[in-house]
Amino acid sequence: MVTILMASTLLCIGGAATAQSVLESPARGVVASTSAPQQAAGTRQQPVTPSPSPTVSASPSPSPSLTASVSAFPFPSTTPGVSHSLPASQVPPQVGAVFGSSGLGGSHFCTASVVDSARGDLILSAAHCMNSTSDVFVPAYHDGIAPYGVWHLDRIVVDQQWSADSDPDHDVAFGIVAPADGRTIQSVVGGDELGIDQGTSKPVTIVGYPQTSQAPLTCTNRISSFSSTQLEIGCTGFTGGTSGSPWVTGGIPGTVIGVLGGYETGGDTPDISYSVAFGPSVENLYQEAASDRTAVGTA
């Protein structure tokens, strides 16, 4: 089951039948695998053009070389696992900072990113980041500037197991973003596809906003399995504020296969980070958010 936070009201929806239908019919924007799914089981202390519908992968594709993955992004190649700051011209437009209700007048405290969906109004982050619909999302934020505007949340969708006891194996949330000037967030900045059961050894690139910085960090390295339900990566400097940072494979936009969070809310040191391993429960959560009939513009 999942929980939708809507103007401070919690609604529990979904169930086993819904989860089964998700597995039988992968949604737009989801790259799925028919290999055996991850088992379900484990918080950081501080808290364009839409992509076309993807094809469904029968199994995780072979991991590309780390060098190839780095070159897919328009960032300078660096030593794997070593982070560096991104200049404004290189910030991926679909990644942004999460601010409180004061917007740019306050401070950012987490990171989120846009994911591809039929309505074009979904962002993805860690569940421990998304606590209030009064928070705002600022894509490609840099040095006090909001190049694509400040976007407000209509609803937040989290798993019931996160709502019940903050289960770190369900530290994933989707935000339904209100349109601005008649346009959806995805129509303005694009969005990554959601990758399900994509394996535990791919190289990924992470972009996140440290709370003490006005520019995002990026780092590329190969992930590994921390447990049956959690992924791990070594990347320097991912301190408080980087929770919710997308773990992306491919180019820009690419396929997001994790978000910084999960075990120890993403890690208790800045150089080792964690993510929930995206499996059927995350796919189910995505389906619930993508098909939310109370969203603006739906019947």
Side-chain angles (χ1 to χ4, degrees):
M1 296 183 69
V2 301
T3 298
I4 295 180
L5 174 61
M6 180 173 60
S8 302
T9 300
L10 293 176
L11 303 174
C12 297
I13 63 177
T18 302
Q20 181 62 32
S21 68
V22 171
L23 296 178
E24 293 172 351
S25 238
R28 168 196 167 108
V30 178
V31 178
S33 167
T34 57
S35 59
Q38 300 279 345
Q39 300 177 16
T43 155
R44 208 162 285 284
Q45 299 305 321
Q46 298 181 56
V48 156
T49 302
S51 54
S53 299
T55 56
V56 177
S57 171
S59 60
S61 56
S63 296
S65 69
L66 192 54
T67 301
S69 176
V70 172
S71 64
F73 284 78
F75 310 150
S77 296
T78 58
T79 303
V82 177
S83 302
H84 67 276
S85 182
L86 280 176
S89 61
Q90 294 180 354
V91 179
Q94 72 272 26
V95 182
V98 179
F99 287 76
S101 58
S102 298
L104 297 183
S107 59
H108 56 88
F109 59 87
C110 271
T111 303
S113 62
V114 181
V115 289
D116 180 44
S117 66
R119 282 199 319 267
D121 61 357
L122 296 185
I123 60 172
L124 169 68
S125 190
H128 74 265
C129 284
M130 303 191 76
N131 299 310
S132 172
T133 53
S134 65
D135 294 339
V136 297
F137 175 63
V138 185
Y141 173 77
H142 204 289
D143 297 307
I145 298 171
Y148 300 101
V150 175
W151 297 75
H152 296 265
L153 299 178
D154 274 337
R155 272 163 294 285
I156 296 168
V157 184
V158 300
D159 193 280
Q160 178 63 22
Q161 293 189 62
W162 175 264
S163 299
D165 59 8
S166 299
D167 183 343
D169 286 333
H170 296 277
D171 191 8
V172 177
F174 292 93
I176 299 171
V177 181
D181 297 325
R183 302 189 67 184
T184 66
I185 182 71
Q186 187 178 330
S187 71
V188 174
V189 302
D192 295 313
E193 296 172 349
L194 182 69
I196 301 297
D197 290 332
Q198 292 295 297
T200 59
S201 61
K202 289 179 180 287
V204 301
T205 295
I206 306 176
V207 175
Y209 286 83
Q211 198 165 12
T212 56
S213 176
Q214 293 301 299
L217 285 179
T218 187
C219 174
T220 298
N221 207 351
R222 194 174 297 278
I223 61 174
S224 61
S225 176
F226 176 70
S227 71
S228 63
T229 57
Q230 300 274 333
L231 303 175
E232 180 181 38
I233 193 170
C235 272
T236 60
F238 277 77
T239 55
T242 59
S243 286
S245 300
W247 296 20
V248 177
T249 183
I252 294 180
T255 300
V256 57
I257 66 172
V259 291
L260 202 153
Y263 178 70
E264 296 290 345
T265 51
D268 54 7
T269 70
D271 300 337
I272 301 293
S273 299
Y274 303 93
S275 168
V276 173
F278 285 5
S281 63
V282 173
E283 188 176 15
N284 182 36
L285 197 67
Y286 169 86
Q287 277 280 52
E288 295 290 357
S291 62
D292 177 17
R293 306 309 295 171
T294 61
V296 173
T298 64

